[in-house]
Amino acid sequence: VFLQEFVKFDDIDVDKTYDMFYNNYIKATGNAWTKDKFVNRAQDYTFFGDENGYVMVRPQNSGMLKLVGSAGESSSIIKGMKELNSLGKPVWGMVSLELLKPSQRYGFINPPAALIKEVLKHVPKYIFGSTDYEIHDNGSVTLNYEDVGKATKYYIANKEYYKYILDNDNGKLPDTIKVMLKTVINVGSAWVKFKSLF
């Protein structure tokens, strides 16, 4: 059994973590939150990984966990992704291209664009911290953040998340989308091999 470890805001080195966060976002978007904004937001986050890098998660009222950012060395971030998925809770978020394949190795799935478009209809845009986004045919999503500008990321979620969406459908999802969700749940990370069929 994989032992997951996580820390809360009060347990991290705030200065070091912010510097790692800042450097990651400058590299990805050319902009980043101010330290004050990071501190204000991060007090509600849970951090997975280690002192050299974290995956940051925000619990949602639904019981799901949303990936909200990453900071530091890729090996520590990947460790955090593995720890996070080992919780067995519904997790979803948007990651950079460099984290897409590593996240898939640890149970996260990037579905086809058609499924992303349908699922995101039920996710308020403010949840992304974005007022606008565009979903591309390759499954990437370009988000337009008011504070840091545009960034292209990839939607990922674990099996527990897709199960949650299916179980809480309330008759709103088309049958074709339900089939996709069931396929994702059944084949897991192997789904990437079948994406081209849709």
Side-chain angles (χ1 to χ4, degrees):
V1 176
F2 184 82
L3 176 63
Q4 68 272 4
E5 298 179 4
F6 60 88
V7 296
K8 296 293 187 178
F9 179 78
D10 291 340
D11 300 315
I12 66 171
D13 180 329
V14 176
D15 292 335
K16 181 178 179 179
T17 303
Y18 173 72
D19 287 344
M20 293 188 297
F21 170 86
Y22 177 87
N23 290 333
N24 278 27
Y25 272 79
I26 287 294
K27 180 181 177 181
T29 69
N31 292 287
W33 289 348
T34 64
K35 186 175 181 181
D36 285 345
K37 184 169 183 176
F38 174 81
V39 169
N40 181 262
R41 296 286 183 89
Q43 292 184 52
D44 296 326
Y45 294 169
T46 302
F47 298 77
F48 293 83
D50 57 41
E51 62 182 10
N52 294 314
Y54 294 107
V55 172
M56 295 171 277
V57 174
R58 184 179 72 241
Q60 296 183 287
N61 293 334
S62 62
M64 293 189 287
L65 300 174
K66 181 182 183 297
L67 287 164
V68 291
S70 61
E73 296 178 6
S74 58
S75 59
S76 297
I77 293 171
I78 291 167
K79 176 176 179 282
M81 297 290 284
K82 186 176 180 180
E83 293 170 351
L84 175 59
N85 200 41
S86 72
L87 289 176
K89 294 184 177 181
V91 183
W92 71 283
M94 313 293 291
V95 299
S96 63
L97 180 59
E98 65 183 2
L99 287 179
L100 179 59
K101 287 186 178 179
S103 70
Q104 290 171 333
R105 288 201 295 269
Y106 296 112
F108 291 90
I109 304 160
N110 170 236
L115 181 52
I116 296 172
K117 289 177 181 178
E118 191 63 36
V119 171
L120 294 192
K121 287 180 183 178
H122 306 284
V123 180
K125 288 185 178 181
Y126 73 84
I127 295 292
F128 296 113
S130 171
T131 56
D132 194 20
Y133 59 80
E134 180 182 0
I135 302 169
H136 307 290
D137 291 340
N138 68 352
S140 65
V141 182
T142 298
L143 300 125
N144 185 20
Y145 298 104
E146 291 183 351
D147 48 1
V148 296
K150 291 186 176 182
T152 297
K153 297 186 178 183
Y154 292 80
Y155 177 94
I156 61 168
N158 61 5
K159 281 189 179 184
E160 287 77 14
Y161 175 85
Y162 295 110
K163 289 176 183 175
Y164 181 93
I165 295 296
L166 194 58
D167 292 344
N168 292 273
D169 164 38
N170 296 322
K172 296 179 181 178
L173 294 174
D175 289 342
T176 53
I177 298 300
K178 292 179 184 178
V179 170
M180 284 190 189
L181 285 168
K182 290 175 181 177
T183 304
V184 167
I185 292 166
N186 289 332
V187 304
S189 58
W191 172 252
V192 70
K193 296 178 182 178
F194 301 101
K195 286 171 64 175
S196 62
L197 298 176
F198 295 92

